[in-house]
Amino acid sequence: MAIHSSLEAELLEFIHVVFVLLFGSVLGSFSNVLIARLPRGETISGRSACPECKTTLGVFDLVPVVSYLLLRARCRYCEQPIPVRYPIVEAISGVLLLTAYWRFGPNPSSLVISGVYVIFVVSIFFIDFDHAIVPNSLTYPVGIMALGLAVLGHPIAPRLSSALLGAVIGGGVFLLMFIL
């Protein structure tokens, strides 16, 4: 009986890991939308399209990582190469969310909050890397969320004093850079 329970627990853990990786890669797919559209001032709503031929992509063209591999890194419609950045962002997001899952456990609220952080952190990183900008449309909401979680004492958040100190130091560095 104990062996059977152990196998069930391992199978359940495996299912959780796969789900978290998939969910994280879907979040990475959304991060790709933010990374591509925010710096150009485009709306984030609307269907995804090939950057080359502008054809609206179908559901099976948008499965994170898998579509890239099945399409052999080429657009189904125009055969132009798909940038490797897309599956990299999706994979990184999946791994980051899985790391949060291992850190905070299978707590649904922690997983959702971690997912939001993953979207913001990955998007900010790649936008900054590509354009040397950090959009306020991303930094303000994530900062407010972090302080709100600290005020509420959520387990995923730092203590309020640490969050405020981080906000003052982080904001102070950017203010000093702006002044100089």
Tab-separated table of all heavy atoms in Angstrom, residues 89-153:
chain	number	residue	atom	x	y	z
A	89	VAL	N	12.570	32.817	-24.587
A	89	VAL	CA	11.774	33.544	-23.590
A	89	VAL	C	10.736	32.615	-22.968
A	89	VAL	O	10.528	32.626	-21.747
A	89	VAL	CB	11.114	34.791	-24.225
A	89	VAL	CG1	10.054	35.391	-23.310
A	89	VAL	CG2	12.175	35.828	-24.578
A	90	GLU	N	10.104	31.790	-23.782
A	90	GLU	CA	9.097	30.859	-23.260
A	90	GLU	C	9.721	29.832	-22.319
A	90	GLU	O	9.175	29.547	-21.244
A	90	GLU	CB	8.393	30.168	-24.430
A	90	GLU	CG	7.563	31.124	-25.260
A	90	GLU	CD	7.192	30.624	-26.640
A	90	GLU	OE1	7.669	29.533	-27.050
A	90	GLU	OE2	6.423	31.325	-27.326
A	91	ALA	N	10.867	29.296	-22.688
A	91	ALA	CA	11.540	28.301	-21.844
A	91	ALA	C	12.042	28.921	-20.544
A	91	ALA	O	11.874	28.343	-19.463
A	91	ALA	CB	12.686	27.651	-22.618
A	92	ILE	N	12.637	30.094	-20.627
A	92	ILE	CA	13.119	30.785	-19.417
A	92	ILE	C	11.953	31.036	-18.473
A	92	ILE	O	12.061	30.821	-17.260
A	92	ILE	CB	13.829	32.101	-19.789
A	92	ILE	CG1	15.192	31.810	-20.412
A	92	ILE	CG2	13.977	33.010	-18.571
A	92	ILE	CD1	15.871	33.035	-21.014
A	93	SER	N	10.831	31.481	-19.016
A	93	SER	CA	9.658	31.757	-18.181
A	93	SER	C	9.149	30.489	-17.507
A	93	SER	O	8.785	30.513	-16.324
A	93	SER	CB	8.550	32.384	-19.029
A	93	SER	OG	8.988	33.612	-19.570
A	94	GLY	N	9.141	29.381	-18.238
A	94	GLY	CA	8.728	28.113	-17.649
A	94	GLY	C	9.636	27.690	-16.507
A	94	GLY	O	9.171	27.278	-15.440
A	95	VAL	N	10.935	27.833	-16.707
A	95	VAL	CA	11.902	27.452	-15.670
A	95	VAL	C	11.801	28.378	-14.456
A	95	VAL	O	11.877	27.923	-13.306
A	95	VAL	CB	13.338	27.433	-16.249
A	95	VAL	CG1	14.383	27.305	-15.154
A	95	VAL	CG2	13.473	26.294	-17.259
A	96	LEU	N	11.610	29.675	-14.691
A	96	LEU	CA	11.459	30.610	-13.570
A	96	LEU	C	10.215	30.294	-12.743
A	96	LEU	O	10.263	30.313	-11.508
A	96	LEU	CB	11.401	32.052	-14.072
A	96	LEU	CG	12.712	32.653	-14.554
A	96	LEU	CD1	12.478	34.032	-15.168
A	96	LEU	CD2	13.725	32.737	-13.425
A	97	LEU	N	9.112	29.989	-13.414
A	97	LEU	CA	7.907	29.658	-12.662
A	97	LEU	C	8.079	28.334	-11.923
A	97	LEU	O	7.630	28.196	-10.782
A	97	LEU	CB	6.679	29.604	-13.579
A	97	LEU	CG	5.355	29.547	-12.830
A	97	LEU	CD1	5.152	30.790	-11.958
A	97	LEU	CD2	4.198	29.395	-13.800
A	98	LEU	N	8.757	27.386	-12.527
A	98	LEU	CA	9.019	26.120	-11.848
A	98	LEU	C	9.898	26.343	-10.615
A	98	LEU	O	9.671	25.744	-9.561
A	98	LEU	CB	9.681	25.119	-12.799
A	98	LEU	CG	9.940	23.723	-12.229
A	98	LEU	CD1	8.636	23.067	-11.776
A	98	LEU	CD2	10.647	22.863	-13.259
A	99	THR	N	10.854	27.222	-10.721
A	99	THR	CA	11.712	27.562	-9.571
A	99	THR	C	10.869	28.153	-8.443
A	99	THR	O	11.059	27.804	-7.272
A	99	THR	CB	12.812	28.547	-10.000
A	99	THR	OG1	13.571	27.947	-11.051
A	99	THR	CG2	13.729	28.898	-8.845
A	100	ALA	N	9.942	29.036	-8.795
A	100	ALA	CA	9.050	29.609	-7.782
A	100	ALA	C	8.169	28.521	-7.164
A	100	ALA	O	7.936	28.523	-5.953
A	100	ALA	CB	8.192	30.708	-8.401
A	101	TYR	N	7.703	27.587	-7.970
A	101	TYR	CA	6.891	26.475	-7.474
A	101	TYR	C	7.690	25.666	-6.449
A	101	TYR	O	7.181	25.309	-5.385
A	101	TYR	CB	6.442	25.598	-8.644
A	101	TYR	CG	5.845	24.274	-8.245
A	101	TYR	CD1	4.532	24.185	-7.790
A	101	TYR	CD2	6.596	23.100	-8.318
A	101	TYR	CE1	3.975	22.974	-7.423
A	101	TYR	CE2	6.044	21.883	-7.956
A	101	TYR	CZ	4.743	21.820	-7.504
A	101	TYR	OH	4.211	20.616	-7.143
A	102	TRP	N	8.943	25.372	-6.779
A	102	TRP	CA	9.774	24.613	-5.840
A	102	TRP	C	10.057	25.418	-4.575
A	102	TRP	O	10.164	24.870	-3.490
A	102	TRP	CB	11.076	24.186	-6.497
A	102	TRP	CG	10.917	23.032	-7.444
A	102	TRP	CD1	10.003	22.037	-7.385
A	102	TRP	CD2	11.707	22.762	-8.606
A	102	TRP	NE1	10.156	21.158	-8.436
A	102	TRP	CE2	11.197	21.576	-9.201
A	102	TRP	CE3	12.784	23.401	-9.208
A	102	TRP	CZ2	11.739	21.020	-10.342
A	102	TRP	CZ3	13.320	22.846	-10.362
A	102	TRP	CH2	12.801	21.673	-10.914
A	103	ARG	N	10.150	26.729	-4.702
A	103	ARG	CA	10.455	27.579	-3.542
A	103	ARG	C	9.242	27.747	-2.624
A	103	ARG	O	9.339	27.681	-1.413
A	103	ARG	CB	10.959	28.944	-4.026
A	103	ARG	CG	11.035	30.041	-2.992
A	103	ARG	CD	12.105	29.760	-1.931
A	103	ARG	NE	12.241	30.838	-1.008
A	103	ARG	CZ	11.515	30.996	0.103
A	103	ARG	NH1	10.595	30.131	0.427
A	103	ARG	NH2	11.731	32.031	0.907
A	104	PHE	N	8.064	27.978	-3.229
A	104	PHE	CA	6.881	28.311	-2.436
A	104	PHE	C	5.867	27.177	-2.345
A	104	PHE	O	4.859	27.303	-1.654
A	104	PHE	CB	6.198	29.562	-2.997
A	104	PHE	CG	7.088	30.771	-2.950
A	104	PHE	CD1	7.620	31.303	-4.112
A	104	PHE	CD2	7.413	31.365	-1.744
A	104	PHE	CE1	8.452	32.404	-4.081
A	104	PHE	CE2	8.248	32.467	-1.693
A	104	PHE	CZ	8.766	32.991	-2.864
A	105	GLY	N	6.104	26.078	-3.052
A	105	GLY	CA	5.197	24.945	-2.989
A	105	GLY	C	3.981	25.138	-3.873
A	105	GLY	O	3.854	26.133	-4.576
A	106	PRO	N	3.078	24.170	-3.833
A	106	PRO	CA	1.906	24.193	-4.715
A	106	PRO	C	0.782	25.096	-4.207
A	106	PRO	O	-0.380	24.755	-4.275
A	106	PRO	CB	1.480	22.723	-4.761
A	106	PRO	CG	1.909	22.184	-3.440
A	106	PRO	CD	3.175	22.923	-3.078
A	107	ASN	N	1.136	26.254	-3.700
A	107	ASN	CA	0.167	27.224	-3.217
A	107	ASN	C	-0.359	28.015	-4.413
A	107	ASN	O	0.415	28.717	-5.070
A	107	ASN	CB	0.859	28.147	-2.201
A	107	ASN	CG	-0.039	29.242	-1.691
A	107	ASN	OD1	-0.920	29.720	-2.390
A	107	ASN	ND2	0.214	29.649	-0.466
A	108	PRO	N	-1.647	27.919	-4.732
A	108	PRO	CA	-2.170	28.593	-5.932
A	108	PRO	C	-1.927	30.095	-5.955
A	108	PRO	O	-1.567	30.651	-6.993
A	108	PRO	CB	-3.667	28.279	-5.908
A	108	PRO	CG	-3.773	27.025	-5.109
A	108	PRO	CD	-2.679	27.105	-4.084
A	109	SER	N	-2.112	30.790	-4.838
A	109	SER	CA	-1.920	32.249	-4.862
A	109	SER	C	-0.449	32.594	-5.101
A	109	SER	O	-0.141	33.526	-5.847
A	109	SER	CB	-2.436	32.913	-3.579
A	109	SER	OG	-1.585	32.670	-2.484
A	110	SER	N	0.454	31.837	-4.497
A	110	SER	CA	1.883	32.086	-4.726
A	110	SER	C	2.265	31.800	-6.175
A	110	SER	O	3.084	32.509	-6.758
A	110	SER	CB	2.745	31.230	-3.794
A	110	SER	OG	2.560	31.623	-2.458
A	111	LEU	N	1.652	30.784	-6.762
A	111	LEU	CA	1.946	30.447	-8.160
A	111	LEU	C	1.449	31.550	-9.101
A	111	LEU	O	2.152	31.945	-10.027
A	111	LEU	CB	1.317	29.103	-8.514
A	111	LEU	CG	1.792	28.462	-9.808
A	111	LEU	CD1	3.292	28.198	-9.765
A	111	LEU	CD2	1.040	27.177	-10.058
A	112	VAL	N	0.261	32.066	-8.849
A	112	VAL	CA	-0.282	33.145	-9.692
A	112	VAL	C	0.568	34.406	-9.535
A	112	VAL	O	0.936	35.048	-10.533
A	112	VAL	CB	-1.763	33.422	-9.337
A	112	VAL	CG1	-2.250	34.710	-9.995
A	112	VAL	CG2	-2.637	32.245	-9.760
A	113	ILE	N	0.892	34.756	-8.309
A	113	ILE	CA	1.710	35.950	-8.075
A	113	ILE	C	3.092	35.770	-8.705
A	113	ILE	O	3.603	36.683	-9.365
A	113	ILE	CB	1.817	36.247	-6.559
A	113	ILE	CG1	0.456	36.675	-6.026
A	113	ILE	CG2	2.877	37.312	-6.282
A	113	ILE	CD1	0.353	36.667	-4.516
A	114	SER	N	3.680	34.598	-8.547
A	114	SER	CA	4.971	34.322	-9.176
A	114	SER	C	4.866	34.429	-10.693
A	114	SER	O	5.776	34.946	-11.352
A	114	SER	CB	5.474	32.930	-8.793
A	114	SER	OG	5.715	32.848	-7.414
A	115	GLY	N	3.761	33.965	-11.242
A	115	GLY	CA	3.544	34.063	-12.684
A	115	GLY	C	3.515	35.509	-13.152
A	115	GLY	O	4.096	35.854	-14.189
A	116	VAL	N	2.863	36.361	-12.385
A	116	VAL	CA	2.829	37.790	-12.730
A	116	VAL	C	4.240	38.368	-12.665
A	116	VAL	O	4.668	39.099	-13.565
A	116	VAL	CB	1.856	38.554	-11.803
A	116	VAL	CG1	1.954	40.057	-12.031
A	116	VAL	CG2	0.424	38.061	-12.015
A	117	TYR	N	4.977	38.026	-11.617
A	117	TYR	CA	6.371	38.489	-11.513
A	117	TYR	C	7.203	38.009	-12.704
A	117	TYR	O	8.015	38.754	-13.240
A	117	TYR	CB	7.023	37.993	-10.221
A	117	TYR	CG	6.752	38.844	-9.006
A	117	TYR	CD1	6.281	38.267	-7.832
A	117	TYR	CD2	6.985	40.207	-9.003
A	117	TYR	CE1	6.044	39.023	-6.701
A	117	TYR	CE2	6.747	40.979	-7.882
A	117	TYR	CZ	6.274	40.384	-6.729
A	117	TYR	OH	6.044	41.141	-5.616
A	118	VAL	N	7.020	36.760	-13.102
A	118	VAL	CA	7.775	36.220	-14.239
A	118	VAL	C	7.506	37.047	-15.492
A	118	VAL	O	8.431	37.426	-16.209
A	118	VAL	CB	7.443	34.722	-14.470
A	118	VAL	CG1	7.922	34.256	-15.836
A	118	VAL	CG2	8.060	33.864	-13.365
A	119	ILE	N	6.234	37.335	-15.762
A	119	ILE	CA	5.897	38.145	-16.936
A	119	ILE	C	6.632	39.488	-16.887
A	119	ILE	O	7.259	39.906	-17.862
A	119	ILE	CB	4.379	38.383	-17.034
A	119	ILE	CG1	3.647	37.083	-17.372
A	119	ILE	CG2	4.057	39.461	-18.076
A	119	ILE	CD1	2.137	37.186	-17.236
A	120	PHE	N	6.540	40.160	-15.753
A	120	PHE	CA	7.151	41.484	-15.638
A	120	PHE	C	8.672	41.420	-15.723
A	120	PHE	O	9.290	42.187	-16.466
A	120	PHE	CB	6.728	42.155	-14.327
A	120	PHE	CG	5.363	42.773	-14.387
A	120	PHE	CD1	4.266	42.122	-13.858
A	120	PHE	CD2	5.169	44.010	-14.971
A	120	PHE	CE1	3.001	42.684	-13.908
A	120	PHE	CE2	3.919	44.598	-15.031
A	120	PHE	CZ	2.827	43.926	-14.498
A	121	VAL	N	9.291	40.520	-14.974
A	121	VAL	CA	10.757	40.462	-14.930
A	121	VAL	C	11.336	40.081	-16.293
A	121	VAL	O	12.281	40.707	-16.778
A	121	VAL	CB	11.224	39.476	-13.831
A	121	VAL	CG1	12.698	39.180	-13.946
A	121	VAL	CG2	10.910	40.037	-12.453
A	122	VAL	N	10.780	39.075	-16.923
A	122	VAL	CA	11.282	38.633	-18.224
A	122	VAL	C	11.075	39.734	-19.261
A	122	VAL	O	11.986	40.045	-20.046
A	122	VAL	CB	10.617	37.307	-18.649
A	122	VAL	CG1	10.908	36.978	-20.094
A	122	VAL	CG2	11.076	36.168	-17.737
A	123	SER	N	9.903	40.342	-19.267
A	123	SER	CA	9.624	41.406	-20.234
A	123	SER	C	10.553	42.597	-20.028
A	123	SER	O	11.115	43.127	-20.996
A	123	SER	CB	8.160	41.852	-20.125
A	123	SER	OG	7.294	40.778	-20.397
A	124	ILE	N	10.704	43.019	-18.784
A	124	ILE	CA	11.592	44.155	-18.493
A	124	ILE	C	13.018	43.829	-18.910
A	124	ILE	O	13.696	44.654	-19.534
A	124	ILE	CB	11.512	44.539	-16.996
A	124	ILE	CG1	10.158	45.194	-16.696
A	124	ILE	CG2	12.662	45.465	-16.612
A	124	ILE	CD1	9.871	45.377	-15.216
A	125	PHE	N	13.491	42.633	-18.585
A	125	PHE	CA	14.866	42.262	-18.930
A	125	PHE	C	15.113	42.369	-20.432
A	125	PHE	O	16.066	42.992	-20.881
A	125	PHE	CB	15.193	40.848	-18.440
A	125	PHE	CG	16.553	40.379	-18.891
A	125	PHE	CD1	17.679	40.716	-18.171
A	125	PHE	CD2	16.693	39.623	-20.050
A	125	PHE	CE1	18.942	40.307	-18.594
A	125	PHE	CE2	17.947	39.209	-20.480
A	125	PHE	CZ	19.078	39.554	-19.751
A	126	PHE	N	14.237	41.743	-21.227
A	126	PHE	CA	14.480	41.703	-22.672
A	126	PHE	C	14.235	43.058	-23.349
A	126	PHE	O	14.931	43.401	-24.294
A	126	PHE	CB	13.677	40.585	-23.331
A	126	PHE	CG	14.303	39.231	-23.124
A	126	PHE	CD1	13.827	38.368	-22.151
A	126	PHE	CD2	15.394	38.837	-23.877
A	126	PHE	CE1	14.413	37.127	-21.944
A	126	PHE	CE2	15.992	37.597	-23.675
A	126	PHE	CZ	15.502	36.743	-22.710
A	127	ILE	N	13.269	43.824	-22.863
A	127	ILE	CA	13.070	45.163	-23.425
A	127	ILE	C	14.283	46.034	-23.112
A	127	ILE	O	14.788	46.756	-23.985
A	127	ILE	CB	11.771	45.808	-22.904
A	127	ILE	CG1	10.560	45.073	-23.479
A	127	ILE	CG2	11.715	47.293	-23.264
A	127	ILE	CD1	9.219	45.479	-22.865
A	128	ASP	N	14.761	45.956	-21.898
A	128	ASP	CA	15.956	46.717	-21.525
A	128	ASP	C	17.162	46.264	-22.341
A	128	ASP	O	17.940	47.080	-22.833
A	128	ASP	CB	16.228	46.566	-20.031
A	128	ASP	CG	17.355	47.461	-19.529
A	128	ASP	OD1	17.588	48.531	-20.125
A	128	ASP	OD2	18.006	47.083	-18.538
A	129	PHE	N	17.317	44.976	-22.524
A	129	PHE	CA	18.435	44.430	-23.295
A	129	PHE	C	18.396	44.925	-24.742
A	129	PHE	O	19.420	45.319	-25.304
A	129	PHE	CB	18.395	42.897	-23.260
A	129	PHE	CG	19.548	42.239	-23.951
A	129	PHE	CD1	20.768	42.102	-23.314
A	129	PHE	CD2	19.412	41.765	-25.245
A	129	PHE	CE1	21.847	41.499	-23.949
A	129	PHE	CE2	20.481	41.158	-25.897
A	129	PHE	CZ	21.701	41.027	-25.252
A	130	ASP	N	17.204	44.916	-25.341
A	130	ASP	CA	17.059	45.302	-26.747
A	130	ASP	C	17.086	46.809	-26.971
A	130	ASP	O	17.639	47.279	-27.962
A	130	ASP	CB	15.740	44.773	-27.322
A	130	ASP	CG	15.723	43.273	-27.492
A	130	ASP	OD1	16.804	42.652	-27.468
A	130	ASP	OD2	14.615	42.713	-27.637
A	131	HIS	N	16.448	47.572	-26.069
A	131	HIS	CA	16.209	48.990	-26.340
A	131	HIS	C	16.807	49.932	-25.303
A	131	HIS	O	16.671	51.149	-25.450
A	131	HIS	CB	14.700	49.254	-26.422
A	131	HIS	CG	14.009	48.419	-27.450
A	131	HIS	ND1	14.020	48.723	-28.795
A	131	HIS	CD2	13.288	47.278	-27.340
A	131	HIS	CE1	13.344	47.813	-29.456
A	131	HIS	NE2	12.887	46.916	-28.598
A	132	ALA	N	17.401	49.394	-24.245
A	132	ALA	CA	17.966	50.200	-23.150
A	132	ALA	C	16.898	51.109	-22.535
A	132	ALA	O	17.165	52.253	-22.188
A	132	ALA	CB	19.178	50.993	-23.614
A	133	ILE	N	15.674	50.578	-22.415
A	133	ILE	CA	14.603	51.287	-21.718
A	133	ILE	C	13.903	50.307	-20.783
A	133	ILE	O	13.907	49.097	-21.019
A	133	ILE	CB	13.560	51.905	-22.680
A	133	ILE	CG1	12.895	50.833	-23.542
A	133	ILE	CG2	14.163	53.009	-23.531
A	133	ILE	CD1	11.694	51.333	-24.340
A	134	VAL	N	13.346	50.857	-19.732
A	134	VAL	CA	12.526	50.066	-18.819
A	134	VAL	C	11.176	50.782	-18.750
A	134	VAL	O	11.060	51.820	-18.109
A	134	VAL	CB	13.167	49.957	-17.421
A	134	VAL	CG1	12.275	49.177	-16.473
A	134	VAL	CG2	14.545	49.325	-17.507
A	135	PRO	N	10.178	50.242	-19.439
A	135	PRO	CA	8.896	50.949	-19.539
A	135	PRO	C	8.205	51.124	-18.193
A	135	PRO	O	8.073	50.174	-17.412
A	135	PRO	CB	8.051	50.052	-20.446
A	135	PRO	CG	9.004	49.140	-21.117
A	135	PRO	CD	10.179	49.004	-20.208
A	136	ASN	N	7.758	52.361	-17.933
A	136	ASN	CA	6.999	52.632	-16.714
A	136	ASN	C	5.712	51.816	-16.674
A	136	ASN	O	5.216	51.498	-15.596
A	136	ASN	CB	6.670	54.124	-16.612
A	136	ASN	CG	7.904	54.959	-16.353
A	136	ASN	OD1	8.915	54.462	-15.854
A	136	ASN	ND2	7.840	56.231	-16.702
A	137	SER	N	5.185	51.465	-17.838
A	137	SER	CA	3.956	50.672	-17.883
A	137	SER	C	4.166	49.282	-17.285
A	137	SER	O	3.196	48.589	-16.985
A	137	SER	CB	3.436	50.561	-19.317
A	137	SER	OG	4.395	49.933	-20.148
A	138	LEU	N	5.413	48.882	-17.116
A	138	LEU	CA	5.718	47.607	-16.456
A	138	LEU	C	6.225	47.817	-15.030
A	138	LEU	O	5.878	47.060	-14.129
A	138	LEU	CB	6.755	46.820	-17.261
A	138	LEU	CG	6.326	46.349	-18.645
A	138	LEU	CD1	7.481	45.647	-19.355
A	138	LEU	CD2	5.124	45.423	-18.557
A	139	THR	N	7.067	48.824	-14.831
A	139	THR	CA	7.677	48.993	-13.508
A	139	THR	C	6.685	49.484	-12.457
A	139	THR	O	6.725	49.021	-11.319
A	139	THR	CB	8.881	49.956	-13.558
A	139	THR	OG1	8.463	51.201	-14.111
A	139	THR	CG2	10.012	49.366	-14.369
A	140	TYR	N	5.799	50.402	-12.812
A	140	TYR	CA	4.845	50.902	-11.827
A	140	TYR	C	3.918	49.805	-11.309
A	140	TYR	O	3.780	49.638	-10.095
A	140	TYR	CB	4.040	52.080	-12.374
A	140	TYR	CG	4.844	53.353	-12.577
A	140	TYR	CD1	4.379	54.354	-13.406
A	140	TYR	CD2	6.068	53.566	-11.951
A	140	TYR	CE1	5.102	55.520	-13.607
A	140	TYR	CE2	6.805	54.720	-12.152
A	140	TYR	CZ	6.311	55.708	-12.979
A	140	TYR	OH	7.016	56.854	-13.166
A	141	PRO	N	3.276	49.047	-12.192
A	141	PRO	CA	2.368	48.015	-11.662
A	141	PRO	C	3.072	46.953	-10.815
A	141	PRO	O	2.545	46.543	-9.781
A	141	PRO	CB	1.758	47.378	-12.914
A	141	PRO	CG	1.992	48.337	-14.009
A	141	PRO	CD	3.193	49.129	-13.649
A	142	VAL	N	4.257	46.514	-11.239
A	142	VAL	CA	4.932	45.471	-10.462
A	142	VAL	C	5.432	46.038	-9.135
A	142	VAL	O	5.417	45.344	-8.114
A	142	VAL	CB	6.055	44.772	-11.268
A	142	VAL	CG1	7.317	45.605	-11.347
A	142	VAL	CG2	6.363	43.402	-10.673
A	143	GLY	N	5.839	47.303	-9.116
A	143	GLY	CA	6.252	47.926	-7.861
A	143	GLY	C	5.096	48.066	-6.894
A	143	GLY	O	5.218	47.769	-5.698
A	144	ILE	N	3.959	48.503	-7.403
A	144	ILE	CA	2.763	48.641	-6.564
A	144	ILE	C	2.322	47.276	-6.047
A	144	ILE	O	1.967	47.127	-4.872
A	144	ILE	CB	1.636	49.340	-7.351
A	144	ILE	CG1	2.013	50.808	-7.587
A	144	ILE	CG2	0.302	49.227	-6.629
A	144	ILE	CD1	1.140	51.520	-8.603
A	145	MET	N	2.368	46.264	-6.918
A	145	MET	CA	1.996	44.916	-6.505
A	145	MET	C	2.927	44.417	-5.393
A	145	MET	O	2.463	43.861	-4.389
A	145	MET	CB	2.044	43.967	-7.694
A	145	MET	CG	1.578	42.563	-7.360
A	145	MET	SD	1.629	41.451	-8.782
A	145	MET	CE	3.260	40.776	-8.619
A	146	ALA	N	4.226	44.628	-5.569
A	146	ALA	CA	5.191	44.155	-4.570
A	146	ALA	C	4.967	44.835	-3.223
A	146	ALA	O	4.970	44.169	-2.176
A	146	ALA	CB	6.612	44.399	-5.066
A	147	LEU	N	4.762	46.145	-3.243
A	147	LEU	CA	4.505	46.847	-1.975
A	147	LEU	C	3.177	46.409	-1.357
A	147	LEU	O	3.084	46.226	-0.144
A	147	LEU	CB	4.520	48.359	-2.193
A	147	LEU	CG	5.903	48.980	-2.394
A	147	LEU	CD1	5.790	50.455	-2.765
A	147	LEU	CD2	6.766	48.799	-1.154
A	148	GLY	N	2.161	46.212	-2.187
A	148	GLY	CA	0.870	45.743	-1.682
A	148	GLY	C	0.975	44.377	-1.027
A	148	GLY	O	0.408	44.144	0.049
A	149	LEU	N	1.711	43.482	-1.651
A	149	LEU	CA	1.896	42.148	-1.073
A	149	LEU	C	2.681	42.218	0.236
A	149	LEU	O	2.406	41.464	1.176
A	149	LEU	CB	2.600	41.230	-2.069
A	149	LEU	CG	1.770	40.828	-3.289
A	149	LEU	CD1	2.642	40.124	-4.322
A	149	LEU	CD2	0.601	39.943	-2.872
A	150	ALA	N	3.648	43.141	0.295
A	150	ALA	CA	4.417	43.305	1.535
A	150	ALA	C	3.522	43.845	2.651
A	150	ALA	O	3.596	43.383	3.796
A	150	ALA	CB	5.605	44.234	1.296
A	151	VAL	N	2.661	44.808	2.321
A	151	VAL	CA	1.728	45.353	3.316
A	151	VAL	C	0.802	44.250	3.830
A	151	VAL	O	0.519	44.158	5.023
A	151	VAL	CB	0.909	46.519	2.711
A	151	VAL	CG1	-0.278	46.880	3.586
A	151	VAL	CG2	1.797	47.734	2.486
A	152	LEU	N	0.344	43.393	2.910
A	152	LEU	CA	-0.559	42.305	3.296
A	152	LEU	C	0.160	41.154	3.998
A	152	LEU	O	-0.470	40.265	4.543
A	152	LEU	CB	-1.282	41.771	2.058
A	152	LEU	CG	-2.237	42.748	1.378
A	152	LEU	CD1	-2.769	42.162	0.075
A	152	LEU	CD2	-3.385	43.122	2.309
A	153	GLY	N	1.497	41.168	3.938
A	153	GLY	CA	2.269	40.108	4.582
A	153	GLY	C	2.195	38.775	3.859
A	153	GLY	O	2.304	37.718	4.485
